[in-house]
Amino acid sequence: MPFAPTRALVETTYISPESLPDATYEDDLRGYLRTRYGLTAPEVRWRERGAIAMTSRPASLRQSPRVIHLGLRGGLAKGSTGYAFQAIQQASELLARELLERPGAPPRVPAPRPAAAVAMDRVLLAHLQRTPSRGPPLFVDLFERLPPDLLCRFLSDHAGPLDYPRVMLATPMAEMTAAVLRSRALWLRAAT
Protein backbone atom coordinates (compact mmCIF):
# COMPACT_ATOMS: atom_id res chain seq x y z
CA MET A 1 0.00 0.00 0.00
CA PRO A 2 1.79 3.17 -1.14
CA PHE A 3 2.04 6.20 1.14
CA ALA A 4 4.28 8.25 -1.17
CA PRO A 5 6.26 7.62 -4.38
CA THR A 6 9.09 6.06 -2.35
CA ARG A 7 7.26 4.79 0.78
CA ALA A 8 4.89 1.87 1.09
CA LEU A 9 3.53 -0.75 3.43
CA VAL A 10 4.41 -4.18 2.10
CA GLU A 11 3.16 -7.36 3.71
CA THR A 12 3.12 -11.05 3.14
CA THR A 13 0.40 -13.41 4.26
CA TYR A 14 0.54 -17.15 4.71
CA ILE A 15 -2.09 -19.68 5.63
CA SER A 16 -0.23 -22.31 7.59
CA PRO A 17 -0.67 -24.40 10.73
CA GLU A 18 2.29 -22.66 12.36
CA SER A 19 4.43 -19.55 11.97
CA LEU A 20 7.37 -19.77 9.61
CA PRO A 21 10.91 -18.58 10.38
CA ASP A 22 11.31 -14.79 10.17
CA ALA A 23 13.85 -15.25 7.37
CA THR A 24 11.16 -16.82 5.15
CA TYR A 25 8.94 -13.74 5.38
CA GLU A 26 11.90 -11.40 4.91
CA ASP A 27 13.23 -13.31 1.89
CA ASP A 28 9.81 -13.42 0.23
CA LEU A 29 9.23 -9.70 0.70
CA ARG A 30 12.69 -8.74 -0.53
CA GLY A 31 12.32 -11.10 -3.50
CA TYR A 32 8.98 -9.52 -4.40
CA LEU A 33 10.38 -5.98 -4.18
CA ARG A 34 13.43 -6.94 -6.26
CA THR A 35 11.39 -8.76 -8.94
CA ARG A 36 8.48 -6.32 -9.14
CA TYR A 37 10.25 -2.97 -8.58
CA GLY A 38 13.96 -3.65 -9.05
CA LEU A 39 14.72 -2.72 -5.43
CA THR A 40 17.88 -4.44 -4.27
CA ALA A 41 18.34 -2.71 -0.90
CA PRO A 42 15.04 -1.25 0.34
CA GLU A 43 15.17 0.70 3.60
CA VAL A 44 12.98 -0.98 6.21
CA ARG A 45 11.61 1.48 8.76
CA TRP A 46 9.28 -0.82 10.67
CA ARG A 47 8.59 -4.51 11.01
CA GLU A 48 5.47 -6.01 12.43
CA ARG A 49 4.33 -9.57 12.85
CA GLY A 50 1.02 -11.15 13.71
CA ALA A 51 -1.02 -14.30 13.46
CA ILE A 52 -4.77 -14.62 13.15
CA ALA A 53 -6.38 -17.80 14.37
CA MET A 54 -8.38 -19.04 11.41
CA THR A 55 -11.10 -21.12 13.01
CA SER A 56 -14.82 -21.68 12.90
CA ARG A 57 -15.02 -23.13 16.41
CA PRO A 58 -17.71 -21.58 18.61
CA ALA A 59 -16.53 -18.79 20.86
CA SER A 60 -17.25 -18.26 24.53
CA LEU A 61 -19.06 -14.92 24.54
CA ARG A 62 -19.15 -14.44 28.31
CA GLN A 63 -16.52 -15.26 30.86
CA SER A 64 -18.71 -13.92 33.66
CA PRO A 65 -21.71 -11.58 34.02
CA ARG A 66 -19.28 -8.64 33.96
CA VAL A 67 -16.94 -9.73 31.15
CA ILE A 68 -17.98 -9.87 27.50
CA HIS A 69 -15.50 -11.06 24.92
CA LEU A 70 -14.93 -9.17 21.67
CA GLY A 71 -12.59 -9.80 18.75
CA LEU A 72 -11.25 -13.30 18.21
CA ARG A 73 -12.24 -14.48 21.67
CA GLY A 74 -15.78 -13.24 21.13
CA GLY A 75 -16.14 -15.01 17.79
CA LEU A 76 -16.19 -11.78 15.78
CA ALA A 77 -13.36 -12.60 13.37
CA LYS A 78 -14.32 -14.23 10.10
CA GLY A 79 -12.51 -17.55 10.33
CA SER A 80 -11.59 -17.80 6.66
CA THR A 81 -10.12 -14.31 6.32
CA GLY A 82 -9.46 -12.91 9.78
CA TYR A 83 -11.59 -9.84 9.04
CA ALA A 84 -12.86 -8.55 12.37
CA PHE A 85 -12.73 -4.74 12.46
CA GLN A 86 -16.25 -4.03 11.21
CA ALA A 87 -17.82 -6.79 13.34
CA ILE A 88 -16.03 -5.51 16.46
CA GLN A 89 -17.24 -1.97 15.77
CA GLN A 90 -20.84 -3.11 15.33
CA ALA A 91 -20.80 -5.35 18.42
CA SER A 92 -19.24 -2.56 20.49
CA GLU A 93 -21.92 -0.13 19.32
CA LEU A 94 -24.69 -2.59 20.25
CA LEU A 95 -23.16 -3.20 23.67
CA ALA A 96 -22.77 0.53 24.31
CA ARG A 97 -26.41 1.09 23.35
CA GLU A 98 -27.45 -1.72 25.73
CA LEU A 99 -25.49 -0.15 28.58
CA LEU A 100 -27.06 3.27 27.97
CA GLU A 101 -30.63 2.03 27.47
CA ARG A 102 -30.64 -0.47 30.35
CA PRO A 103 -28.38 0.94 33.08
CA GLY A 104 -27.53 -1.61 35.74
CA ALA A 105 -28.88 -4.56 33.74
CA PRO A 106 -26.43 -7.06 32.28
CA PRO A 107 -26.13 -6.29 28.57
CA ARG A 108 -27.49 -8.83 26.13
CA VAL A 109 -24.65 -10.15 24.03
CA PRO A 110 -25.34 -10.13 20.29
CA ALA A 111 -24.71 -13.36 18.38
CA PRO A 112 -21.19 -13.17 16.99
CA ARG A 113 -21.71 -14.31 13.40
CA PRO A 114 -24.53 -15.68 11.22
CA ALA A 115 -24.70 -19.49 11.17
CA ALA A 116 -24.54 -19.57 7.36
CA ALA A 117 -21.32 -17.53 7.39
CA VAL A 118 -19.76 -19.85 9.99
CA ALA A 119 -20.74 -22.88 7.89
CA MET A 120 -19.18 -21.35 4.76
CA ASP A 121 -16.00 -20.61 6.71
CA ARG A 122 -15.90 -24.16 8.07
CA VAL A 123 -16.04 -25.54 4.51
CA LEU A 124 -13.42 -23.12 3.19
CA LEU A 125 -11.06 -23.74 6.11
CA ALA A 126 -11.40 -27.51 5.71
CA HIS A 127 -10.63 -27.13 2.00
CA LEU A 128 -7.59 -24.93 2.69
CA GLN A 129 -6.29 -27.33 5.33
CA ARG A 130 -6.60 -30.26 2.95
CA THR A 131 -5.20 -28.45 -0.14
CA PRO A 132 -3.38 -25.26 0.96
CA SER A 133 -2.01 -24.63 -2.53
CA ARG A 134 -5.58 -24.06 -3.77
CA GLY A 135 -6.08 -21.08 -1.43
CA PRO A 136 -4.60 -18.29 -3.55
CA PRO A 137 -6.38 -19.30 -6.78
CA LEU A 138 -9.66 -19.70 -4.90
CA PHE A 139 -9.47 -16.16 -3.49
CA VAL A 140 -8.47 -14.81 -6.92
CA ASP A 141 -11.54 -16.54 -8.38
CA LEU A 142 -13.78 -14.87 -5.80
CA PHE A 143 -12.35 -11.42 -6.53
CA GLU A 144 -12.48 -11.86 -10.31
CA ARG A 145 -15.92 -13.50 -10.58
CA LEU A 146 -18.03 -11.66 -8.02
CA PRO A 147 -19.31 -8.07 -8.13
CA PRO A 148 -17.50 -5.95 -5.51
CA ASP A 149 -20.67 -5.20 -3.52
CA LEU A 150 -21.53 -8.91 -3.22
CA LEU A 151 -17.95 -9.80 -2.30
CA CYS A 152 -17.93 -7.11 0.40
CA ARG A 153 -21.21 -8.40 1.83
CA PHE A 154 -19.84 -11.92 1.88
CA LEU A 155 -16.49 -10.98 3.45
CA SER A 156 -18.17 -8.86 6.12
CA ASP A 157 -20.79 -11.51 7.01
CA HIS A 158 -23.69 -9.48 5.60
CA ALA A 159 -24.47 -11.82 2.72
CA GLY A 160 -28.11 -12.61 2.08
CA PRO A 161 -29.62 -15.99 1.20
CA LEU A 162 -29.28 -15.32 -2.54
CA ASP A 163 -25.63 -14.28 -2.18
CA TYR A 164 -24.36 -17.64 -0.90
CA PRO A 165 -25.19 -19.62 -4.06
CA ARG A 166 -23.46 -16.95 -6.17
CA VAL A 167 -20.36 -17.20 -3.99
CA MET A 168 -20.37 -20.99 -4.27
CA LEU A 169 -20.67 -20.77 -8.06
CA ALA A 170 -17.56 -18.56 -8.14
CA THR A 171 -15.50 -21.38 -6.63
CA PRO A 172 -14.39 -24.71 -8.13
CA MET A 173 -17.66 -26.62 -7.65
CA ALA A 174 -16.31 -30.18 -7.52
CA GLU A 175 -13.62 -29.29 -4.96
CA MET A 176 -15.96 -27.25 -2.79
CA THR A 177 -18.78 -29.83 -2.94
CA ALA A 178 -16.33 -32.45 -1.69
CA ALA A 179 -15.20 -30.02 1.02
CA VAL A 180 -18.85 -29.47 2.05
CA LEU A 181 -19.41 -33.21 2.39
CA ARG A 182 -16.17 -33.71 4.36
CA SER A 183 -16.93 -30.71 6.59
CA ARG A 184 -20.45 -31.95 7.27
CA ALA A 185 -19.15 -35.42 8.16
CA LEU A 186 -16.56 -33.95 10.56
CA TRP A 187 -19.17 -31.69 12.15
CA LEU A 188 -21.58 -34.61 12.65
CA ARG A 189 -18.81 -36.74 14.20
CA ALA A 190 -17.87 -33.92 16.57
CA ALA A 191 -21.51 -33.38 17.55
CA THR A 192 -21.99 -37.01 18.62
Side-chain angles (χ1 to χ4, degrees), residues 166-177:
R166 291 179 68 192
V167 170
M168 289 187 278
L169 288 170
T171 65
M173 285 304 290
E175 291 177 27
M176 296 312 289
T177 301

Side-chain angles (χ1 to χ4, degrees), residues 99-117:
L99 292 169
L100 290 172
E101 291 175 359
R102 301 177 47 218
R108 294 173 292 220
V109 181
R113 299 184 56 232

Side-chain angles (χ1 to χ4, degrees), residues 12-16 18 20 24-26 28-29 54:
T12 185
T13 303
Y14 290 82
I15 298 174
S16 64
E18 63 230 9
L20 303 174
T24 301
Y25 304 115
E26 187 79 21
D28 283 355
L29 285 171
M54 295 176 77

Side-chain angles (χ1 to χ4, degrees), residues 122-136:
R122 187 173 41 249
V123 169
L124 182 58
L125 290 170
H127 179 62
L128 292 175
Q129 187 172 17
R130 186 175 171 89
T131 56
S133 64
R134 292 292 299 135

Side-chain angles (χ1 to χ4, degrees), residues 118-177:
V118 173
M120 294 281 281
D121 278 349
R122 187 173 41 249
V123 169
L124 182 58
L125 290 170
H127 179 62
L128 292 175
Q129 187 172 17
R130 186 175 171 89
T131 56
S133 64
R134 292 292 299 135
L138 188 135
F139 281 106
V140 168
D141 286 347
L142 290 176
F143 278 84
E144 286 181 345
R145 296 178 181 171
L146 294 174
D149 59 325
L150 181 131
L151 186 62
C152 287
R153 285 193 307 274
F154 174 68
L155 292 175
S156 63
D157 285 345
H158 291 98
L162 298 178
D163 293 333
Y164 289 113
R166 291 179 68 192
V167 170
M168 289 187 278
L169 288 170
T171 65
M173 285 304 290
E175 291 177 27
M176 296 312 289
T177 301

Side-chain angles (χ1 to χ4, degrees), residues 36-61:
R36 177 78 182 200
Y37 298 103
L39 298 173
T40 55
E43 178 187 347
V44 178
R45 292 192 170 188
W46 182 264
R47 283 183 176 84
E48 185 176 278
R49 180 184 182 143
I52 298 172
M54 295 176 77
T55 181
S56 59
R57 278 178 277 163
S60 170
L61 303 180

